[in-house]
Amino acid sequence: MCRRFVTIWFRHLITDWMIIRQPALKEQPFVVAAPEHGRMVITAASAAAQEEGISTGMVVADAKAAVAGLQVFDEKPGMAGRLLKALGKWCIRYTPVVAIDQPDGLILDASGCAHLWGGEEPYLKEIVTRLRAYGYDVRAAMADTIGTAWAVTRYGQVAPVSPGSGQPQASLSQSAPVISNLPQPVPVISNGGQLEALLPLPPAALRLEAGIVERLQKLGLYRISNFISMPRHALRRRFGQEILLRLDQALGYEEEAIEPLEPVQPYEERLPCLEPILTRTGIEIALERLLETLCARLQQEGKGLRTALLKCFRIDGRTEQVTIGTNRASHHAQHLFRLFENKIATLRPGPGIELFVLEAPKTEELPAQQETLWTSGCSLESIRLAELVDRLINRVGAHAIRRYLPDEHYWPERSVRQTADLLEKATTAWREDHPRPVQLLPKPEPVEVAAPIPDYPPMLFRYKGTLHRIKRADGPERIEREWWLEAGQHRDYYVVEDEEGRRYWLFRSGHYDADRSTGWFIHGFFA
Amino acid sequence: MTSGMQAAKKREIIEQLQKDLLLLQGYSPPSAHPVDVGLGPVVAAFPNAVFPVGAMHEFLSDTTEHTAATGGFIAGLLASLMRQGGVCVWISASRTVFPPALSTFGVSPDRIIFIDLEREKDVLWAMEEALKCEGLAAVIGEIRDISLTSSRRFQLAVEQSRVTGFMLRHQPRDRNAIACIARWRITPIASEPVDDMPGVGFPRWKVELLKARNGKPGVWQLEWAAGQFRTVDEKIVKHGAVIRKTG
C-alpha cells in the first residue's frame, strides 16, 4: 500500500495561541521571551511583530528599540509541547497515527484515510481550514514521504498562505468563510513526485543541521537541484552521512519511523459523521455499523474480543467513552450491541459527536465453531450462557456472578471455592459422605442448650427465643480446625430434629465442659 | 362386547373429554418434552398428569426452616431437570443456600451459577434476563415481593424460552395473586428412623400444592430417599425416646 503523510507547520504556534486566549493582542506586535545568559531573548514573535522585522533569537532590548510599544511576555516552559500534544490529539479525528514534530509541527500518517473525506485535496483542505478557523496560522502539505511533505510545508512555493502576509489573522477577524482564502493549488505532492517537488527547494528543506546548510550555502549550492545529482561518496565525504540519509528519507528510499501520540489499536474501526450526532438513535446506528465491520474482521481472522471501547469525539474537542467486557471471546455483533445498549445513556453528546471510534484492546483466539442445529440444552460451555452472564455483569458487576467448586477442606466455610470462571472444572468430587445443611448461616449463631453428658447431643436448645426439644439426633461429627491456617477450637457437629420435624445443624466449640452451657452454636438448617 | 372392553372405552372417552375440556379452558400443553420429575402422585394434580416445565412456580415459606425444606424439594426437582447436563441460575439478594448440600439431592453444585445481587429490583431484572435465555434447565429466584405485572413478564418470557422458573418467596409482605402455574408450600415434618436405627431419617416434607392452574390442589407427604422422591404412607409417625448415642 502506498503511504501518504501530511505534515502541518504551526508558523506562530505560541503567539497564535495567546491571540486565541486574548483577542486584543491580535492588532499589536508582541513577543515571548525567555532569559538566556543574563538577557532576555525572543523565543516567539507574533505575525505583526515579524512584519516589523522582529525574529526569534533577537534580544528583547534591541527589539524594543526597533519597535515602539512592543509587548513582551515571559515564556512558559513546555508550553509548545503541551499545545502540540493537544493539537495532535485533536488531529486523531483525521487519522489514528499522529506524531509530534518538534518544535512546531505535526506529522499525520494519512495512508488510507483521505478517501473518507472525498480525496486528498479535500482532506488536506479540511485540516487546514479547521485549524485556521481555530486561529492557528498553519501550512500543510501531503506527500509519499515525511521528508518531502515537511520540505514543501516549510519551503514550498505552492503555499496555502503567502508567508509573512498576516493574511490568516485578518481573515479570522472578519470571520469570513475561510475556505475562500485557500489558494487553488493545494500542496498535495502526487504519488512518486518527490523528486520534482524537492528540486527547487533550498537545502534547509531537507531537515539538515545548521552547520551543513551553512557549508552548502558557502559553496553556492542554494537549491537541492544543485547537488542532488552529485556522486553519493562525494556528498558523504564533504557533508557527512546525514545529508544522504535525509535525501533518502525525502525520496522514499529509506523508511522513517514516527512515534504515534496514541498507540494504534490493531482492532479499531472509525466512523466520521458528516453532521454532528446528537441523538440516541444516531449513536445506536453508528455503533451498529462499527460493530458489524469490526466483528466481520474479527471473524475473518478467527478472533473474538474480550473488551471493547467506544470513543465518541465531540465537536467541542471532548471525548466521551464507554467500555464493555465479555467473559469469553466474542465476535457476535448483536450480543455486543446489547452490552453497549445499557451504557449508551451515559454518553453525553454535548454539541454533537463527529467521530466514533470502536476499539478492541483485548482480543483472543476464537476458532470457528460448529453451529448447532438443535439448541436443546445449555451447558456451561455454550455461548448463550456466556452472553447471559455478560449482560448481567455489565449491569451489576462481575462480583455478583459466582460458581462454587469443591475444595479439599473439611471445615464447612472452606469446603467450597468460589470462582467467577464459567469453564473452570472441579478438581475433586463433591463429598456426600456427611450430611450438610441446605441453608448455612454466614456466621454461626450462639444458642443456649441443655446437654446431658459429654459427647451426647443436647436435649433442648433455645434459638431466637424459641425452645426446641430435640427428638432425634446424629453425631457428633468432629471437624478439626486447620491449625496451619488458623488457630482455635475444633467443632463437634450434631444433626438434630426437634419435635416439629425441623432439622438443624448444631455444634459445640471445643471440648465438653459441665460448668458451661455456652459454646454451642447453630450453623445451618437441613431440608 | 364384554364389560371390560366397555369400561376401557368409557375411560378413553372420559380422558379425551377431559383433554378437550382443558383446551376449552384455555390450557395449552406447556412442553413438548415432558420431564419425569419423579414426584409420583403429586404430578397427577396437574393437567394431563404432566409436571409443568417451561412455566413459573411459586414457593411460599414463612421461616428459615421452611426455606431449607423448600430448597431441598427444589433441589430434588432440579436433579431431574438438569439430568441432561443442563445449567441453572440461582438469583438472590440474600442467599444462604449452601451449595455442597445440593449434591445430596443429585444436583452438581458446580453447574449452578449463583448471582448475588444487592437490590430486589436487580433480582427482578436479572431473573427476567435469565428466563429469556433459552436452554437453561431452570432459573431460581429468591424474590420476596413481586407485582402481578412483573410476574406476567416472567410468564411471557418462559412461554417463549421454555425455561422453568422457581420463585422462592420468603415471608412475603403481600400474598398477592401472581401469574404462575403452581403455588407450593413445603414444610418439614418429622422423619422416621430407617430400620429402627437411631438418628435422623431421610428428609421428609409436607408438600402443599396451594394452587395449580387447571389442576387439583392437594397435600402430600414426601421424603427424599435413595436419590428420589418417595411418597410417605399416611401413618402415625412413631415418636419415642430415641436419643441414643450414635457417634
Side-chain angles (χ1 to χ4, degrees):
Chain A
M1 192 181 77
C2 167
R3 305 203 49 185
R4 299 292 279 168
F5 291 95
V6 171
T7 55
I8 305 171
W9 178 28
F10 296 87
R11 299 182 61 220
H12 309 100
L13 181 66
I14 299 277
T15 54
D16 281 347
W17 178 75
M18 288 173 75
I19 290 170
I20 294 167
R21 297 287 297 270
Q22 304 174 50
L25 286 173
K26 186 165 50 201
E27 305 299 336
Q28 42 190 317
F30 69 95
V31 293
V32 178
E36 189 185 301
H37 295 117
R39 51 190 193 157
M40 295 298 278
V41 175
I42 294 171
T43 56
S46 71
Q50 278 185 352
E51 256 181 272
E52 306 270 354
I54 292 171
S55 60
T56 55
M58 277 174 83
V59 181
V60 169
D62 297 350
K64 271 189 169 161
V67 180
L70 182 75
Q71 288 204 48
V72 181
F73 296 95
D74 284 341
E75 190 196 50
K76 289 177 193 151
M79 191 67 220
R82 283 202 296 278
L83 269 177
L84 278 179
K85 202 169 169 192
L87 285 163
K89 285 206 168 152
W90 179 85
C91 281
I92 284 178
R93 69 198 59 210
Y94 297 111
T95 167
V97 185
V98 177
I100 288 178
D101 175 24
Q102 293 288 2
D104 53 3
L106 289 174
I107 301 170
L108 277 60
D109 184 350
S111 318
C113 294
H115 72 275
L116 294 168
W117 278 264
E120 295 188 337
E121 289 194 12
Y123 178 70
L124 197 59
K125 260 186 192 170
E126 158 85 9
I127 296 175
V128 173
T129 313
R130 291 289 295 275
L131 282 171
R132 287 184 51 192
Y134 278 120
Y136 289 103
D137 180 12
V138 296
R139 286 176 51 146
M142 190 169 191
D144 277 3
T145 61
I146 297 169
T148 305
W150 195 93
V152 173
T153 304
R154 280 156 175 87
Y155 297 94
Q157 292 306 305
V158 280
V161 184
S162 51
S165 69
Q167 195 61 27
Q169 257 75 39
S171 76
L172 278 166
S173 63
Q174 293 153 13
S175 71
V178 188
I179 198 108
S180 63
N181 283 333
L182 275 179
Q184 286 319 303
V186 178
V188 174
I189 309 304
S190 59
N191 213 341
Q194 293 94 299
L195 187 61
E196 293 94 278
L198 286 175
L199 284 178
L201 301 182
L206 285 177
R207 294 179 287 173
L208 297 171
E209 272 173 28
I212 301 175
V213 174
E214 207 175 309
R215 238 179 300 158
L216 285 161
Q217 294 271 5
K218 275 184 186 160
L219 292 169
L221 304 169
Y222 300 122
R223 298 196 180 281
I224 294 174
S225 55
N226 298 143
F227 59 88
I228 197 162
S229 48
M230 284 184 186
R232 285 172 71 87
H233 61 87
L235 282 175
R236 184 189 295 120
R237 199 174 58 235
R238 285 184 173 274
F239 307 106
Q241 180 65 34
E242 195 196 337
I243 189 167
L244 292 179
L245 176 74
R246 287 304 192 187
L247 265 175
D248 286 349
Q249 280 179 345
L251 292 170
Y253 301 144
E254 191 83 35
E255 273 287 314
E256 186 174 351
I258 53 172
E259 191 191 338
L261 262 181
E262 306 239 314
V264 184
Q265 296 294 341
Y267 291 97
E268 189 194 80
E269 292 295 329
R270 307 164 71 80
L271 184 70
C273 308
L274 280 177
E275 291 282 325
I277 300 291
L278 279 164
T279 60
R280 186 188 170 99
T281 327
I283 297 174
E284 280 176 3
I285 292 169
L287 182 61
E288 261 171 18
R289 281 181 55 180
L290 285 171
L291 277 171
E292 252 167 52
T293 41
L294 183 72
C295 287
R297 208 178 125 206
L298 286 167
Q299 195 170 10
Q300 220 168 12
E301 299 178 19
K303 299 240 179 180
L305 63 83
R306 289 291 306 275
T307 55
L309 171 68
L310 177 72
K311 280 190 191 163
C312 304
F313 291 84
R314 290 168 24 169
I315 50 174
D316 59 357
R318 287 170 195 274
T319 318
E320 294 276 318
Q321 61 178 51
V322 285
T323 46
I324 54 145
T326 62
N327 63 56
R328 208 169 302 166
S330 166
H331 51 58
H332 185 187
Q334 225 179 333
H335 168 58
L336 296 171
F337 179 75
R338 285 190 66 182
L339 295 184
F340 270 118
E341 212 175 12
N342 293 328
K343 303 205 169 176
I344 289 178
T346 62
L347 291 170
R348 285 165 304 168
I353 298 165
E354 60 177 346
L355 172 71
F356 293 94
V357 175
L358 183 68
E359 286 174 10
K362 198 171 158 196
T363 54
E364 277 177 10
E365 295 291 330
L366 181 67
Q369 279 179 341
Q370 174 88 41
E371 302 256 340
T372 43
L373 203 51
W374 280 283
T375 46
S376 55
C378 201
S379 63
L380 283 169
E381 292 84 28
S382 83
I383 294 171
R384 265 178 304 170
L385 185 71
E387 291 182 353
L388 169 72
V389 171
D390 281 347
R391 285 201 293 279
L392 295 173
I393 286 178
N394 269 277
R395 164 101 175 227
V396 295
H399 58 273
I401 312 292
R402 282 165 206 170
R403 269 181 77 224
Y404 292 94
L405 297 174
D407 210 353
E408 285 186 318
H409 292 281
Y410 284 103
W411 199 252
E413 285 91 337
R414 273 196 288 271
S415 61
V416 285
R417 185 160 48 88
Q418 197 175 307
T419 175
D421 188 355
L422 290 183
L423 297 177
E424 197 173 333
K425 294 264 190 304
T427 47
T428 56
W430 289 97
R431 299 184 69 102
E432 290 173 27
D433 45 358
H434 293 292
R436 288 289 175 265
V438 169
Q439 300 277 328
L440 189 80
L441 291 169
K443 209 172 162 226
E445 289 171 25
V447 287
E448 290 170 36
V449 303
I453 27 179
D455 291 345
Y456 264 55
M459 290 193 304
L460 44 89
F461 73 97
R462 190 187 292 276
Y463 174 56
K464 283 190 179 166
T466 316
L467 191 68
H468 300 270
R469 285 177 197 286
I470 292 166
K471 285 285 170 202
R472 298 167 209 285
D474 268 335
E477 178 197 348
R478 175 165 294 183
I479 302 182
E480 287 288 347
R481 211 178 270 269
E482 289 150 314
W483 53 262
W484 58 95
L485 294 174
E486 61 180 349
Q489 301 271 29
H490 64 260
R491 292 172 178 177
D492 284 335
Y493 277 98
Y494 294 90
V495 181
V496 299
E497 184 182 287
D498 73 0
E499 57 207 347
E500 284 176 46
R502 296 173 291 197
R503 289 169 278 272
Y504 303 92
W505 209 29
L506 305 182
F507 72 83
R508 187 187 61 227
S509 186
H511 289 286
Y512 176 81
D513 185 350
D515 296 336
R516 63 182 184 143
S517 65
T518 55
W520 284 84
F521 296 87
I522 180 168
H523 202 183
F525 303 86
F526 281 93
Chain B
M1 201 180 278
T2 61
S3 60
M5 277 177 75
Q6 256 180 337
K9 202 166 180 208
K10 215 176 194 175
R11 204 163 50 238
E12 209 172 275
I13 291 169
I14 288 171
E15 268 176 23
Q16 190 55 45
L17 280 172
Q18 276 174 338
K19 279 188 184 169
D20 290 352
L21 260 177
L22 283 173
L23 286 175
L24 289 173
Q25 283 170 344
Y27 168 82
S28 55
S31 174
H33 307 284
V35 176
D36 179 22
V37 291
L39 277 177
V42 182
V43 168
F46 293 104
N48 295 343
V50 173
F51 181 80
V53 296
M56 295 302 296
H57 295 256
E58 181 193 7
F59 290 84
L60 294 174
S61 72
D62 299 321
T63 61
T64 317
E65 293 87 343
H66 292 185
T67 312
T70 311
F73 181 74
I74 288 179
L77 294 176
L78 286 181
S80 313
L81 293 171
M82 290 167 72
R83 201 163 283 154
Q84 279 103 26
V87 176
C88 89
V89 178
W90 193 303
I91 303 159
S92 171
S94 55
R95 186 175 56 82
T96 48
V97 68
F98 187 47
L102 303 178
S103 66
T104 49
F105 293 94
V107 178
S108 177
D110 50 83
R111 282 200 277 133
I112 302 177
I113 295 164
F114 292 95
I115 296 164
D116 295 332
L117 304 164
E118 276 153 28
R119 292 180 299 168
E120 282 269 302
K121 216 175 92 190
D122 285 337
V123 175
L124 291 179
W125 173 82
M127 180 114 183
E128 194 180 333
E129 282 290 313
L131 286 172
K132 279 182 193 160
C133 181
E134 258 174 71
L136 286 180
V139 177
I140 299 116
E142 293 183 29
I143 299 163
R144 192 164 177 192
D145 288 291
I146 180 171
S147 66
L148 179 62
T149 323
S150 305
S151 67
R152 275 201 182 129
R153 290 177 67 101
F154 291 172
Q155 189 72 29
L156 285 174
V158 296
E159 272 171 25
Q160 200 77 47
S161 65
R162 319 253 31 118
V163 172
T164 314
F166 298 110
M167 281 182 278
L168 267 63
R169 300 185 65 195
H170 178 63
Q171 293 178 344
R173 289 183 202 104
D174 183 13
R175 297 195 177 202
N176 51 339
I178 60 169
C180 59
I181 208 149
R183 175 180 272 192
W184 304 80
R185 184 163 58 207
I186 318 292
T187 42
I189 51 174
S191 64
E192 202 173 337
V194 187
D195 302 332
D196 266 342
M197 293 284 279
V200 181
F202 294 120
R204 188 176 284 201
W205 311 295
K206 186 169 95 177
V207 175
E208 290 171 87
L209 183 57
L210 304 170
K211 212 174 73 180
R213 197 187 298 164
N214 304 107
K216 298 183 284 290
V219 182
W220 300 267
Q221 287 198 9
L222 294 183
E223 69 176 8
W224 182 265
Q228 57 182 23
F229 290 110
R230 198 164 69 190
T231 325
V232 178
D233 304 326
E234 290 288 337
K235 61 180 178 188
I236 297 132
V237 179
K238 282 180 279 180
H239 288 290
V242 282
I243 297 179
R244 279 178 251 170
K245 183 171 178 184
T246 54

